[in-house]
Amino acid sequence: MLSILDQELAAKIGSEITLEKEMRDADEVPVSVKDYLKNGLFQVHDTPGNEEVLLTRQFGDESIRVAFSIADLNNLDQEESDKFDDSALYDEDDDQEADEPSGKRNRKAASAQSASSALAAGGDAKGDMSLARGKVGANVNDGHEAADDDDDDEADTSSGSEGQEPSFPARLTVTIEKAGTSGAFQIETVAQDGMIGIENAYYYPDAALANPQTAEQELARRDQYLGPPFANLDEDLQVLLERYLDERGINTALALFVPDYVDYKEQREYLRWLGDVKSFIEV
């Protein structure tokens, strides 16, 4: 027989499940995700219950693997989150609770806005360069008075960057292996707001060290010289490496897809977790 506390806890979890489902159906795939799953270059490997998602494809004689994790939503730099007032993150006002019943949702939005603000503020030189080269689809208002037949253009502009909620920075680890070689080229990137920014580029003579599965492989990986910091490379080399990724499908379409997919998967995993905990308590 359940104790009163166990009953209260199970009821509270059940209420949270109901509220989350009312906010958004976890089984409903976002349009942007559907579009990429249908038309994208990569095959998605998503195991329910796992944080990591894998994307794979063949490009000529190359095998390309892109890994990202829903943990990025909860592991954003705490210093960035601290830039927001506590009231913005943990508002306990009754009206706010009615509109935003899940504290998880408030923290997610704040983290995304924080990360976007940090990028807009400048960041490091490498980030500045990537943003300058990577921004696409900017709408420019030339100041002329709009005619009635320009309503569609105005609608497109108004629905652009000013009204669009910023996405959070999703980390992508791109691993490329080529037939006839034993090594692997691994590039760490960040995808946000339709842009791919390279953080590091590594070369492993032994491809197994790119994704170590044993303690021995992890130790051997630490002893390898993997290359200089990406920001220290010649600027023309940086540009060519960005084009190298773009040619292989690590591009704007992927940068838009990944944050949306992480948000979609995280919601499903959160509901699964709530359900599992509730079932455990009620046994």
Side-chain angles (χ1 to χ4, degrees), residues 153-173:
D153 293 337
E154 292 180 358
D156 291 340
T157 303
S158 63
S159 63
S161 58
E162 292 185 359
Q164 185 177 359
E165 186 175 318
S167 66
F168 67 95
R171 297 188 177 279
L172 312 180
T173 300

Side-chain angles (χ1 to χ4, degrees), residues 114-167:
S114 174
S116 180
S117 298
L119 286 176
D124 56 23
K126 170 190 60 174
D128 292 342
M129 182 191 67
S130 297
L131 287 172
R133 285 199 299 269
K135 185 168 289 186
V136 296
N139 291 318
V140 179
N141 187 347
D142 60 6
H144 294 296
E145 183 177 354
D148 291 340
D149 59 355
D150 289 336
D151 288 344
D152 290 341
D153 293 337
E154 292 180 358
D156 291 340
T157 303
S158 63
S159 63
S161 58
E162 292 185 359
Q164 185 177 359
E165 186 175 318
S167 66

